[in-house]
Amino acid sequence: MLRARILSTGSYVPSRRLTNAELEKMVDTSDKWIMERTGIKERRIAAEGENTSDLAYEASKTALDRAGISADSLDLIIVATITGDMPIPATACFLQHRLNAPNAAAFDINAACSGFLFGLSATNAYIKSGMYKRILLVGAEALSRFTDWEDRNTCVLFGDGAGAAILEATDGPSGVMSVDIHSDGTYWELLNLPGGGSKHPPSKEAEANRMYYIKMKGNETFKIAVRTLEKLVLDALQKNNLDASDIALLIPHQANLRIISATASRLGIGMERVMVNLDRCGNTSAASIPIALDEAASTGRIKEDDYILLEAFGGGLTWASAVIRW
Ligand code: UT7
């Protein structure tokens, strides 16, 4: 049976750190509030001229170097992002061009913070069907470009960065065991970026109404996230006949430490078995899971044969889980 196995990972975050102390000078907030309500200490901000495809390129280059393969061996490039360089073309096409990967088809996926796992679902299906053998999957975001720096409800949350994974077909026992993706558009208003699309095309009015920035009803989103993730992770374990004690590491989407702890506690997993980097990276949407995955893999927190559980929740609403045997 064909399976998708992660050959290598890579990640990249911009060098500029934006601390809570700096945010205190920008909006009516405090380090104490941000730490207590979110767990975030600082986030990274892309430099001027550093775009989503540039972040994706750095992460992908590391993943390719670590795998010891060249970009022309890639069959497909998928970039999960909600902050692409341009509406057209896909950021994956910019990435393909920069990597010099002429044999790869390239497209983007928009599933907000669940984007990387939605991309993993597509990757898994392509590989299992035999259609493609080697796929580069990236989550990359320059959220700072779409953050309303006058809105304290959102501007303290987001950060920029990218994470990449190269997956290839294997008939061995390791790899992606399951990926489950879900959506409920009923709740689209909880998290959106209203301007610039066909509903609110570019206009002075859209600009005046600050429609080109991300809007979030945080508290409502929070409550649905906690409820939904609880069921999601238990279902993922059950589907794989696994117990929480079989999971070496939980790698959650990095939105809020309280959401992460609630999910871990529901599973009975201690925080020492949970990957957390939102204190340093903030919420990087589709990039959060692959950055955390790369950090875990490159610091020895995942070993051969370990089971890891990935879970995400985001705008759409969307939510997703994956179980991977390393
Ligand atoms: O990544 C995709 C999915 N996103 C999520 O999962 C995020 C889910 N939501 C959250 O993480 C949390 O809801 C937030 C961190 C966004 C907010 O935390 P909260 O505990 O839900 O706070 P709240 O929105 O209920 O606001 C509580 C109070 C309000 O003041 P009043 O009305 O009680 O006077 C806010 O105005 O905190 C106020 N507030 C702030 N105060 C200081 C909101 N933002 C700030 C801020 N600094 N930055």
Side-chain angles (χ1 to χ4, degrees):
M1 191 180 71
L2 279 181
R3 223 187 265 290
R5 185 177 73 98
I6 294 181
L7 192 59
S8 67
T9 59
S11 64
Y12 173 81
V13 289
S15 56
R16 160 88 169 101
R17 292 181 151 88
L18 178 66
T19 63
N20 290 350
E22 286 173 87
L23 281 164
E24 284 178 352
K25 294 180 197 137
M26 295 160 65
V27 287
D28 180 16
T29 191
S30 65
D31 175 51
K32 185 171 179 292
W33 190 97
I34 303 171
M35 279 302 289
E36 282 177 7
R37 301 290 179 123
T38 72
I40 301 167
K41 280 192 191 121
E42 60 180 37
R43 62 293 289 145
R44 299 299 182 100
I45 305 294
E48 211 183 315
E50 191 176 40
N51 302 318
T52 298
S53 66
D54 301 315
L55 309 180
Y57 172 78
E58 297 298 337
S60 303
K61 197 80 187 64
T62 302
L64 285 165
D65 289 348
R66 283 190 185 145
I69 59 170
S70 88
D72 61 11
S73 70
L74 296 171
D75 300 322
L76 180 67
I77 298 173
I78 302 178
V79 176
T81 186
I82 49 169
T83 56
D85 290 17
M86 298 179 188
I88 316 165
T91 298
C93 291
F94 285 116
L95 180 60
Q96 180 217 23
H97 174 59
R98 265 200 86 184
L99 287 173
N100 192 15
N103 303 313
F107 64 85
D108 290 356
I109 279 190
N110 173 346
C113 303
S114 311
F116 186 79
L117 295 186
F118 273 59
L120 187 66
S121 171
T123 298
N124 195 39
Y126 279 125
I127 287 180
K128 281 175 96 65
S129 74
M131 189 166 165
Y132 295 122
K133 287 195 174 56
R134 189 175 275 176
I135 298 176
L136 168 64
L137 173 62
V138 184
E141 304 284 11
L143 288 164
S144 61
R145 304 271 157 76
F146 303 92
T147 297
D148 186 344
W149 294 106
E150 293 178 11
D151 175 15
R152 70 174 183 173
N153 290 294
T154 52
C155 76
V156 302
L157 305 172
F158 303 122
D160 301 338
I166 295 168
L167 291 107
E168 68 171 15
T170 169
D171 50 12
S174 303
V176 177
M177 311 306 284
S178 69
V179 198
D180 287 292
I181 61 172
H182 307 268
S183 310
D184 187 351
T186 317
Y187 296 105
W188 71 269
E189 274 184 298
L190 294 188
L191 217 174
N192 59 65
L193 194 163
S198 60
K199 190 175 167 93
H200 302 290
S203 68
K204 288 208 170 71
E205 195 193 345
E207 197 177 339
N209 291 325
R210 308 188 78 73
M211 281 184 166
Y212 300 121
Y213 299 119
I214 296 166
K215 319 279 178 203
M216 181 168 71
K217 293 183 179 156
N219 196 266
E220 285 168 65
T221 309
F222 182 99
K223 286 178 195 152
I224 301 175
V226 170
R227 214 169 49 225
T228 306
L229 288 170
E230 184 176 308
K231 182 173 181 323
L232 179 78
V233 290
L234 292 172
D235 285 352
L237 289 182
Q238 196 183 32
K239 187 171 184 174
N240 290 282
N241 282 321
L242 293 173
D243 196 74
S245 60
D246 298 318
I247 300 299
L249 195 65
L250 173 68
I251 306 187
H253 167 51
Q254 310 283 313
N256 187 308
L257 190 57
R258 289 182 292 146
I259 299 177
I260 294 174
S261 320
T263 309
S265 142
R266 183 66 187 85
L267 282 171
I269 289 184
M271 289 306 283
E272 71 288 350
R273 277 194 288 147
V274 182
M275 183 63 211
V276 175
N277 66 7
L278 95 162
D279 51 329
R280 288 169 281 123
C281 294
N283 180 348
T284 57
S285 191
S288 100
I289 288 184
I291 293 173
L293 175 67
D294 178 55
E295 199 174 316
S298 60
T299 56
R301 287 191 73 179
I302 318 174
K303 297 184 182 58
E304 204 178 323
D305 275 341
D306 275 353
Y307 282 104
I308 57 172
L309 173 56
L310 284 53
E311 47 94 340
F313 184 90
L317 295 173
T318 56
W319 59 102
S321 70
V323 172
I324 297 173
R325 187 172 171 191
W326 204 249

